[in-house]
Amino acid sequence: MHAPTTELLKEIYEGLKVFDVPVYTRLPSETVLEPFFVIGEHQDEDMSAKINLAVTRTELKIDLFYPYRDRAEIEDLTHNVKSVLSQKRKAVTSNIIYDDSIGREVFHVVFYVNTII
């Protein structure tokens, strides 16, 4: 039996596979070209003491690095990723930014997946 967060990570990973974009758990080397996802850190808040149930609120960060091309293209992809990630009672926020911190110009989309497990 896996922890609920492990199950959430597996579900997220499977959902992202529909985009045919590599998924990593840490930022790959600068030789790896975009697009790619990075499933990052998560934060949990144990709510059990307040409501007498085993409930945890979790926030998971997912980054998408995408070639700096057409803005409409990244807007469409962001919308589609949010649709996949928000299934099963998950709230998803996103932020699209220009980023050149990896040595080239890319769109960097930061997704925050919030759910109660």
Side-chain angles (χ1 to χ4, degrees), residues 67-108:
Y68 190 77
R69 297 191 294 237
D70 181 5
R71 178 63 185 249
E73 191 175 301
I74 193 63
E75 292 287 352
D76 290 343
L77 180 57
T78 299
H79 172 79
N80 293 334
V81 170
K82 285 177 70 172
S83 294
V84 167
L85 293 177
S86 65
Q87 296 174 359
K88 294 187 179 180
R89 298 182 317 258
K90 292 186 287 293
V92 180
T93 59
S94 62
N95 184 21
I96 300 173
I97 56 177
Y98 163 81
D99 189 345
D100 64 357
S101 66
I102 60 173
R104 56 192 169 267
E105 296 178 334
V106 297
F107 284 117
H108 179 183

mmCIF file of all heavy atoms in Angstrom, residues 67-108:
data_model
loop_
_atom_site.group_PDB
_atom_site.id
_atom_site.type_symbol
_atom_site.label_atom_id
_atom_site.label_comp_id
_atom_site.label_asym_id
_atom_site.label_seq_id
_atom_site.Cartn_x
_atom_site.Cartn_y
_atom_site.Cartn_z
ATOM 1 N N PRO A 67 9.574 25.777 -25.514
ATOM 2 C CA PRO A 67 10.306 26.705 -26.400
ATOM 3 C C PRO A 67 9.575 28.036 -26.539
ATOM 4 O O PRO A 67 8.345 28.078 -26.618
ATOM 5 C CB PRO A 67 10.345 25.973 -27.740
ATOM 6 C CG PRO A 67 10.163 24.536 -27.404
ATOM 7 C CD PRO A 67 9.290 24.502 -26.184
ATOM 8 N N TYR A 68 10.319 29.098 -26.554
ATOM 9 C CA TYR A 68 9.754 30.438 -26.688
ATOM 10 C C TYR A 68 9.381 30.665 -28.140
ATOM 11 O O TYR A 68 10.218 30.996 -28.966
ATOM 12 C CB TYR A 68 10.773 31.479 -26.207
ATOM 13 C CG TYR A 68 10.211 32.863 -26.078
ATOM 14 C CD1 TYR A 68 9.417 33.185 -24.995
ATOM 15 C CD2 TYR A 68 10.464 33.828 -27.040
ATOM 16 C CE1 TYR A 68 8.887 34.456 -24.853
ATOM 17 C CE2 TYR A 68 9.937 35.106 -26.913
ATOM 18 C CZ TYR A 68 9.153 35.411 -25.821
ATOM 19 O OH TYR A 68 8.625 36.667 -25.703
ATOM 20 N N ARG A 69 8.107 30.394 -28.443
ATOM 21 C CA ARG A 69 7.605 30.542 -29.809
ATOM 22 C C ARG A 69 6.327 31.354 -29.772
ATOM 23 O O ARG A 69 6.332 32.493 -29.357
ATOM 24 C CB ARG A 69 7.347 29.170 -30.443
ATOM 25 C CG ARG A 69 8.585 28.309 -30.604
ATOM 26 C CD ARG A 69 8.320 27.092 -31.456
ATOM 27 N NE ARG A 69 7.396 26.144 -30.862
ATOM 28 C CZ ARG A 69 7.668 24.876 -30.631
ATOM 29 N NH1 ARG A 69 8.844 24.376 -30.940
ATOM 30 N NH2 ARG A 69 6.762 24.088 -30.104
ATOM 31 N N ASP A 70 5.280 30.749 -30.191
ATOM 32 C CA ASP A 70 3.973 31.373 -30.316
ATOM 33 C C ASP A 70 3.264 31.415 -28.957
ATOM 34 O O ASP A 70 3.078 30.379 -28.313
ATOM 35 C CB ASP A 70 3.168 30.551 -31.332
ATOM 36 C CG ASP A 70 1.793 31.097 -31.596
ATOM 37 O OD1 ASP A 70 1.451 32.174 -31.078
ATOM 38 O OD2 ASP A 70 1.059 30.442 -32.360
ATOM 39 N N ARG A 71 2.843 32.604 -28.524
ATOM 40 C CA ARG A 71 2.174 32.752 -27.230
ATOM 41 C C ARG A 71 0.855 31.980 -27.193
ATOM 42 O O ARG A 71 0.490 31.380 -26.177
ATOM 43 C CB ARG A 71 1.937 34.236 -26.935
ATOM 44 C CG ARG A 71 1.211 34.525 -25.641
ATOM 45 C CD ARG A 71 2.026 34.052 -24.440
ATOM 46 N NE ARG A 71 1.300 34.203 -23.215
ATOM 47 C CZ ARG A 71 1.616 35.075 -22.270
ATOM 48 N NH1 ARG A 71 2.641 35.875 -22.420
ATOM 49 N NH2 ARG A 71 0.910 35.127 -21.173
ATOM 50 N N ALA A 72 0.129 31.976 -28.308
ATOM 51 C CA ALA A 72 -1.140 31.245 -28.348
ATOM 52 C C ALA A 72 -0.914 29.749 -28.125
ATOM 53 O O ALA A 72 -1.723 29.073 -27.477
ATOM 54 C CB ALA A 72 -1.856 31.480 -29.670
ATOM 55 N N GLU A 73 0.182 29.236 -28.634
ATOM 56 C CA GLU A 73 0.510 27.818 -28.472
ATOM 57 C C GLU A 73 0.679 27.463 -26.994
ATOM 58 O O GLU A 73 0.142 26.453 -26.527
ATOM 59 C CB GLU A 73 1.807 27.547 -29.242
ATOM 60 C CG GLU A 73 2.188 26.117 -29.409
ATOM 61 C CD GLU A 73 3.425 25.991 -30.286
ATOM 62 O OE1 GLU A 73 3.400 26.438 -31.452
ATOM 63 O OE2 GLU A 73 4.439 25.447 -29.783
ATOM 64 N N ILE A 74 1.397 28.281 -26.235
ATOM 65 C CA ILE A 74 1.618 27.975 -24.819
ATOM 66 C C ILE A 74 0.335 28.216 -24.010
ATOM 67 O O ILE A 74 0.072 27.501 -23.047
ATOM 68 C CB ILE A 74 2.821 28.752 -24.241
ATOM 69 C CG1 ILE A 74 3.229 28.178 -22.874
ATOM 70 C CG2 ILE A 74 2.550 30.227 -24.124
ATOM 71 C CD1 ILE A 74 3.705 26.762 -22.884
ATOM 72 N N GLU A 75 -0.474 29.177 -24.420
ATOM 73 C CA GLU A 75 -1.759 29.393 -23.737
ATOM 74 C C GLU A 75 -2.665 28.172 -23.912
ATOM 75 O O GLU A 75 -3.301 27.719 -22.965
ATOM 76 C CB GLU A 75 -2.450 30.647 -24.266
ATOM 77 C CG GLU A 75 -1.752 31.940 -23.926
ATOM 78 C CD GLU A 75 -1.872 32.359 -22.472
ATOM 79 O OE1 GLU A 75 -2.645 31.727 -21.708
ATOM 80 O OE2 GLU A 75 -1.200 33.330 -22.092
ATOM 81 N N ASP A 76 -2.714 27.640 -25.138
ATOM 82 C CA ASP A 76 -3.532 26.451 -25.401
ATOM 83 C C ASP A 76 -3.030 25.252 -24.607
ATOM 84 O O ASP A 76 -3.817 24.511 -24.005
ATOM 85 C CB ASP A 76 -3.551 26.119 -26.890
ATOM 86 C CG ASP A 76 -4.330 27.124 -27.714
ATOM 87 O OD1 ASP A 76 -5.120 27.896 -27.132
ATOM 88 O OD2 ASP A 76 -4.135 27.155 -28.944
ATOM 89 N N LEU A 77 -1.721 25.056 -24.607
ATOM 90 C CA LEU A 77 -1.154 23.922 -23.876
ATOM 91 C C LEU A 77 -1.408 24.070 -22.376
ATOM 92 O O LEU A 77 -1.767 23.099 -21.704
ATOM 93 C CB LEU A 77 0.346 23.783 -24.157
ATOM 94 C CG LEU A 77 1.063 22.644 -23.450
ATOM 95 C CD1 LEU A 77 0.419 21.291 -23.774
ATOM 96 C CD2 LEU A 77 2.540 22.634 -23.817
ATOM 97 N N THR A 78 -1.240 25.273 -21.850
ATOM 98 C CA THR A 78 -1.490 25.504 -20.421
ATOM 99 C C THR A 78 -2.935 25.156 -20.076
ATOM 100 O O THR A 78 -3.200 24.487 -19.068
ATOM 101 C CB THR A 78 -1.177 26.966 -20.054
ATOM 102 O OG1 THR A 78 0.202 27.230 -20.327
ATOM 103 C CG2 THR A 78 -1.472 27.248 -18.598
ATOM 104 N N HIS A 79 -3.856 25.579 -20.904
ATOM 105 C CA HIS A 79 -5.273 25.262 -20.683
ATOM 106 C C HIS A 79 -5.493 23.748 -20.670
ATOM 107 O O HIS A 79 -6.196 23.214 -19.793
ATOM 108 C CB HIS A 79 -6.125 25.921 -21.773
ATOM 109 C CG HIS A 79 -7.548 25.511 -21.733
ATOM 110 N ND1 HIS A 79 -8.445 26.039 -20.840
ATOM 111 C CD2 HIS A 79 -8.230 24.591 -22.470
ATOM 112 C CE1 HIS A 79 -9.623 25.469 -21.026
ATOM 113 N NE2 HIS A 79 -9.520 24.594 -22.014
ATOM 114 N N ASN A 80 -4.898 23.043 -21.621
ATOM 115 C CA ASN A 80 -5.075 21.591 -21.706
ATOM 116 C C ASN A 80 -4.438 20.867 -20.528
ATOM 117 O O ASN A 80 -5.008 19.896 -20.011
ATOM 118 C CB ASN A 80 -4.528 21.074 -23.031
ATOM 119 C CG ASN A 80 -5.339 21.550 -24.212
ATOM 120 O OD1 ASN A 80 -6.521 21.847 -24.089
ATOM 121 N ND2 ASN A 80 -4.697 21.662 -25.368
ATOM 122 N N VAL A 81 -3.268 21.324 -20.100
ATOM 123 C CA VAL A 81 -2.621 20.709 -18.934
ATOM 124 C C VAL A 81 -3.481 20.927 -17.694
ATOM 125 O O VAL A 81 -3.694 19.997 -16.909
ATOM 126 C CB VAL A 81 -1.194 21.276 -18.732
ATOM 127 C CG1 VAL A 81 -0.610 20.828 -17.396
ATOM 128 C CG2 VAL A 81 -0.278 20.850 -19.878
ATOM 129 N N LYS A 82 -4.000 22.135 -17.514
ATOM 130 C CA LYS A 82 -4.864 22.401 -16.360
ATOM 131 C C LYS A 82 -6.099 21.513 -16.378
ATOM 132 O O LYS A 82 -6.544 21.042 -15.328
ATOM 133 C CB LYS A 82 -5.264 23.872 -16.324
ATOM 134 C CG LYS A 82 -4.135 24.787 -15.868
ATOM 135 C CD LYS A 82 -4.522 26.242 -15.907
ATOM 136 C CE LYS A 82 -5.522 26.557 -14.847
ATOM 137 N NZ LYS A 82 -5.790 28.011 -14.741
ATOM 138 N N SER A 83 -6.640 21.253 -17.558
ATOM 139 C CA SER A 83 -7.812 20.382 -17.666
ATOM 140 C C SER A 83 -7.499 18.969 -17.194
ATOM 141 O O SER A 83 -8.298 18.343 -16.495
ATOM 142 C CB SER A 83 -8.319 20.338 -19.106
ATOM 143 O OG SER A 83 -8.803 21.587 -19.498
ATOM 144 N N VAL A 84 -6.348 18.475 -17.570
ATOM 145 C CA VAL A 84 -5.939 17.128 -17.152
ATOM 146 C C VAL A 84 -5.627 17.093 -15.658
ATOM 147 O O VAL A 84 -6.042 16.180 -14.939
ATOM 148 C CB VAL A 84 -4.719 16.642 -17.974
ATOM 149 C CG1 VAL A 84 -4.082 15.412 -17.356
ATOM 150 C CG2 VAL A 84 -5.134 16.365 -19.412
ATOM 151 N N LEU A 85 -4.904 18.098 -15.174
ATOM 152 C CA LEU A 85 -4.484 18.101 -13.770
ATOM 153 C C LEU A 85 -5.639 18.339 -12.806
ATOM 154 O O LEU A 85 -5.585 17.900 -11.662
ATOM 155 C CB LEU A 85 -3.416 19.170 -13.537
ATOM 156 C CG LEU A 85 -2.067 18.950 -14.211
ATOM 157 C CD1 LEU A 85 -1.147 20.134 -13.946
ATOM 158 C CD2 LEU A 85 -1.421 17.652 -13.738
ATOM 159 N N SER A 86 -6.685 19.028 -13.241
ATOM 160 C CA SER A 86 -7.758 19.405 -12.315
ATOM 161 C C SER A 86 -8.818 18.328 -12.140
ATOM 162 O O SER A 86 -9.793 18.537 -11.437
ATOM 163 C CB SER A 86 -8.408 20.715 -12.774
ATOM 164 O OG SER A 86 -9.053 20.532 -14.009
ATOM 165 N N GLN A 87 -8.639 17.182 -12.751
ATOM 166 C CA GLN A 87 -9.607 16.103 -12.575
ATOM 167 C C GLN A 87 -9.554 15.576 -11.143
ATOM 168 O O GLN A 87 -8.555 15.734 -10.446
ATOM 169 C CB GLN A 87 -9.328 14.981 -13.569
ATOM 170 C CG GLN A 87 -9.520 15.422 -15.006
ATOM 171 C CD GLN A 87 -9.096 14.362 -15.998
ATOM 172 O OE1 GLN A 87 -8.643 13.289 -15.645
ATOM 173 N NE2 GLN A 87 -9.242 14.685 -17.272
ATOM 174 N N LYS A 88 -10.611 14.969 -10.711
ATOM 175 C CA LYS A 88 -10.731 14.347 -9.378
ATOM 176 C C LYS A 88 -10.531 15.359 -8.247
ATOM 177 O O LYS A 88 -9.651 15.195 -7.403
ATOM 178 C CB LYS A 88 -9.742 13.185 -9.231
ATOM 179 C CG LYS A 88 -10.040 12.031 -10.156
ATOM 180 C CD LYS A 88 -9.148 10.847 -9.841
ATOM 181 C CE LYS A 88 -9.467 9.695 -10.761
ATOM 182 N NZ LYS A 88 -8.632 8.541 -10.495
ATOM 183 N N ARG A 89 -11.325 16.418 -8.265
ATOM 184 C CA ARG A 89 -11.382 17.391 -7.164
ATOM 185 C C ARG A 89 -10.061 18.098 -6.882
ATOM 186 O O ARG A 89 -9.749 18.416 -5.740
ATOM 187 C CB ARG A 89 -11.879 16.721 -5.884
ATOM 188 C CG ARG A 89 -13.272 16.159 -5.997
ATOM 189 C CD ARG A 89 -13.723 15.564 -4.683
ATOM 190 N NE ARG A 89 -12.711 14.779 -4.014
ATOM 191 C CZ ARG A 89 -12.657 13.460 -4.008
ATOM 192 N NH1 ARG A 89 -13.557 12.772 -4.630
ATOM 193 N NH2 ARG A 89 -11.726 12.826 -3.350
ATOM 194 N N LYS A 90 -9.281 18.372 -7.900
ATOM 195 C CA LYS A 90 -8.041 19.121 -7.702
ATOM 196 C C LYS A 90 -8.201 20.519 -8.288
ATOM 197 O O LYS A 90 -8.744 20.684 -9.370
ATOM 198 C CB LYS A 90 -6.869 18.405 -8.370
ATOM 199 C CG LYS A 90 -6.497 17.089 -7.703
ATOM 200 C CD LYS A 90 -5.263 16.469 -8.290
ATOM 201 C CE LYS A 90 -5.431 15.875 -9.635
ATOM 202 N NZ LYS A 90 -6.268 14.712 -9.760
ATOM 203 N N ALA A 91 -7.739 21.518 -7.544
ATOM 204 C CA ALA A 91 -7.713 22.887 -8.048
ATOM 205 C C ALA A 91 -6.317 23.158 -8.598
ATOM 206 O O ALA A 91 -5.319 22.743 -8.004
ATOM 207 C CB ALA A 91 -8.036 23.863 -6.927
ATOM 208 N N VAL A 92 -6.252 23.838 -9.734
ATOM 209 C CA VAL A 92 -4.959 24.093 -10.376
ATOM 210 C C VAL A 92 -4.847 25.574 -10.703
ATOM 211 O O VAL A 92 -5.755 26.155 -11.302
ATOM 212 C CB VAL A 92 -4.800 23.268 -11.671
ATOM 213 C CG1 VAL A 92 -3.447 23.536 -12.319
ATOM 214 C CG2 VAL A 92 -4.962 21.785 -11.396
ATOM 215 N N THR A 93 -3.736 26.169 -10.301
ATOM 216 C CA THR A 93 -3.423 27.531 -10.721
ATOM 217 C C THR A 93 -2.173 27.472 -11.591
ATOM 218 O O THR A 93 -1.373 26.530 -11.494
ATOM 219 C CB THR A 93 -3.174 28.467 -9.523
ATOM 220 O OG1 THR A 93 -2.095 27.950 -8.747
ATOM 221 C CG2 THR A 93 -4.407 28.599 -8.658
ATOM 222 N N SER A 94 -2.019 28.479 -12.448
ATOM 223 C CA SER A 94 -0.843 28.491 -13.323
ATOM 224 C C SER A 94 -0.344 29.915 -13.498
ATOM 225 O O SER A 94 -1.100 30.879 -13.328
ATOM 226 C CB SER A 94 -1.177 27.884 -14.685
ATOM 227 O OG SER A 94 -2.168 28.642 -15.340
ATOM 228 N N ASN A 95 0.930 30.006 -13.842
ATOM 229 C CA ASN A 95 1.575 31.283 -14.081
ATOM 230 C C ASN A 95 2.536 31.100 -15.247
ATOM 231 O O ASN A 95 3.452 30.274 -15.173
ATOM 232 C CB ASN A 95 2.319 31.727 -12.816
ATOM 233 C CG ASN A 95 2.932 33.090 -12.950
ATOM 234 O OD1 ASN A 95 2.535 33.889 -13.792
ATOM 235 N ND2 ASN A 95 3.926 33.368 -12.124
ATOM 236 N N ILE A 96 2.317 31.844 -16.336
ATOM 237 C CA ILE A 96 3.197 31.758 -17.506
ATOM 238 C C ILE A 96 4.188 32.909 -17.433
ATOM 239 O O ILE A 96 3.783 34.074 -17.347
ATOM 240 C CB ILE A 96 2.404 31.852 -18.823
ATOM 241 C CG1 ILE A 96 1.383 30.721 -18.920
ATOM 242 C CG2 ILE A 96 3.346 31.847 -20.019
ATOM 243 C CD1 ILE A 96 0.452 30.844 -20.115
ATOM 244 N N ILE A 97 5.481 32.571 -17.463
ATOM 245 C CA ILE A 97 6.507 33.604 -17.404
ATOM 246 C C ILE A 97 7.558 33.364 -18.484
ATOM 247 O O ILE A 97 7.732 32.243 -18.962
ATOM 248 C CB ILE A 97 7.191 33.656 -16.017
ATOM 249 C CG1 ILE A 97 7.784 32.289 -15.632
ATOM 250 C CG2 ILE A 97 6.230 34.129 -14.954
ATOM 251 C CD1 ILE A 97 8.529 32.277 -14.326
ATOM 252 N N TYR A 98 8.216 34.420 -18.867
ATOM 253 C CA TYR A 98 9.381 34.332 -19.744
ATOM 254 C C TYR A 98 10.572 33.999 -18.851
ATOM 255 O O TYR A 98 10.721 34.544 -17.767
ATOM 256 C CB TYR A 98 9.597 35.670 -20.458
ATOM 257 C CG TYR A 98 10.961 35.809 -21.059
ATOM 258 C CD1 TYR A 98 11.256 35.225 -22.278
ATOM 259 C CD2 TYR A 98 11.956 36.511 -20.398
ATOM 260 C CE1 TYR A 98 12.517 35.340 -22.832
ATOM 261 C CE2 TYR A 98 13.218 36.632 -20.945
ATOM 262 C CZ TYR A 98 13.495 36.051 -22.161
ATOM 263 O OH TYR A 98 14.741 36.161 -22.704
ATOM 264 N N ASP A 99 11.421 33.076 -19.300
ATOM 265 C CA ASP A 99 12.542 32.632 -18.470
ATOM 266 C C ASP A 99 13.758 32.400 -19.356
ATOM 267 O O ASP A 99 13.663 31.734 -20.386
ATOM 268 C CB ASP A 99 12.137 31.332 -17.764
ATOM 269 C CG ASP A 99 13.119 30.868 -16.707
ATOM 270 O OD1 ASP A 99 14.259 31.357 -16.661
ATOM 271 O OD2 ASP A 99 12.736 29.990 -15.915
ATOM 272 N N ASP A 100 14.899 32.944 -18.947
ATOM 273 C CA ASP A 100 16.148 32.637 -19.648
ATOM 274 C C ASP A 100 17.204 32.112 -18.682
ATOM 275 O O ASP A 100 18.387 32.102 -18.985
ATOM 276 C CB ASP A 100 16.661 33.845 -20.432
ATOM 277 C CG ASP A 100 17.033 35.022 -19.552
ATOM 278 O OD1 ASP A 100 16.845 34.943 -18.318
ATOM 279 O OD2 ASP A 100 17.502 36.037 -20.096
ATOM 280 N N SER A 101 16.758 31.636 -17.518
ATOM 281 C CA SER A 101 17.689 31.169 -16.491
ATOM 282 C C SER A 101 18.373 29.857 -16.849
ATOM 283 O O SER A 101 19.365 29.490 -16.215
ATOM 284 C CB SER A 101 16.971 31.023 -15.149
ATOM 285 O OG SER A 101 16.006 29.993 -15.211
ATOM 286 N N ILE A 102 17.875 29.130 -17.856
ATOM 287 C CA ILE A 102 18.511 27.870 -18.239
ATOM 288 C C ILE A 102 19.411 28.064 -19.462
ATOM 289 O O ILE A 102 19.832 27.106 -20.088
ATOM 290 C CB ILE A 102 17.481 26.746 -18.476
ATOM 291 C CG1 ILE A 102 16.506 27.106 -19.595
ATOM 292 C CG2 ILE A 102 16.737 26.418 -17.195
ATOM 293 C CD1 ILE A 102 15.582 25.974 -19.992
ATOM 294 N N GLY A 103 19.710 29.326 -19.796
ATOM 295 C CA GLY A 103 20.661 29.599 -20.873
ATOM 296 C C GLY A 103 20.034 29.842 -22.227
ATOM 297 O O GLY A 103 20.735 30.070 -23.207
ATOM 298 N N ARG A 104 18.712 29.781 -22.315
ATOM 299 C CA ARG A 104 18.010 30.083 -23.561
ATOM 300 C C ARG A 104 16.612 30.579 -23.204
ATOM 301 O O ARG A 104 16.133 30.373 -22.096
ATOM 302 C CB ARG A 104 17.965 28.870 -24.483
ATOM 303 C CG ARG A 104 17.361 27.632 -23.879
ATOM 304 C CD ARG A 104 17.629 26.415 -24.780
ATOM 305 N NE ARG A 104 17.274 25.213 -24.090
ATOM 306 C CZ ARG A 104 18.102 24.462 -23.377
ATOM 307 N NH1 ARG A 104 19.364 24.800 -23.273
ATOM 308 N NH2 ARG A 104 17.693 23.363 -22.777
ATOM 309 N N GLU A 105 15.979 31.225 -24.149
ATOM 310 C CA GLU A 105 14.653 31.792 -23.900
ATOM 311 C C GLU A 105 13.586 30.706 -23.965
ATOM 312 O O GLU A 105 13.497 29.985 -24.965
ATOM 313 C CB GLU A 105 14.347 32.874 -24.931
ATOM 314 C CG GLU A 105 15.270 34.056 -24.852
ATOM 315 C CD GLU A 105 14.964 35.088 -25.914
ATOM 316 O OE1 GLU A 105 14.414 34.735 -26.982
ATOM 317 O OE2 GLU A 105 15.278 36.260 -25.674
ATOM 318 N N VAL A 106 12.787 30.622 -22.905
ATOM 319 C CA VAL A 106 11.710 29.645 -22.863
ATOM 320 C C VAL A 106 10.496 30.260 -22.176
ATOM 321 O O VAL A 106 10.592 31.261 -21.469
ATOM 322 C CB VAL A 106 12.115 28.360 -22.084
ATOM 323 C CG1 VAL A 106 13.266 27.647 -22.754
ATOM 324 C CG2 VAL A 106 12.441 28.667 -20.635
ATOM 325 N N PHE A 107 9.358 29.652 -22.425
ATOM 326 C CA PHE A 107 8.200 29.890 -21.581
ATOM 327 C C PHE A 107 8.350 28.947 -20.393
ATOM 328 O O PHE A 107 8.681 27.771 -20.563
ATOM 329 C CB PHE A 107 6.890 29.580 -22.302
ATOM 330 C CG PHE A 107 6.474 30.612 -23.297
ATOM 331 C CD1 PHE A 107 6.377 30.300 -24.638
ATOM 332 C CD2 PHE A 107 6.156 31.909 -22.894
ATOM 333 C CE1 PHE A 107 5.962 31.239 -25.567
ATOM 334 C CE2 PHE A 107 5.740 32.859 -23.816
ATOM 335 C CZ PHE A 107 5.655 32.528 -25.157
ATOM 336 N N HIS A 108 8.109 29.453 -19.222
ATOM 337 C CA HIS A 108 8.147 28.644 -18.007
ATOM 338 C C HIS A 108 6.771 28.787 -17.365
ATOM 339 O O HIS A 108 6.386 29.871 -16.944
ATOM 340 C CB HIS A 108 9.252 29.168 -17.086
ATOM 341 C CG HIS A 108 9.365 28.437 -15.799
ATOM 342 N ND1 HIS A 108 10.265 28.823 -14.833
ATOM 343 C CD2 HIS A 108 8.722 27.366 -15.295
ATOM 344 C CE1 HIS A 108 10.157 28.015 -13.789
ATOM 345 N NE2 HIS A 108 9.223 27.128 -14.055
#
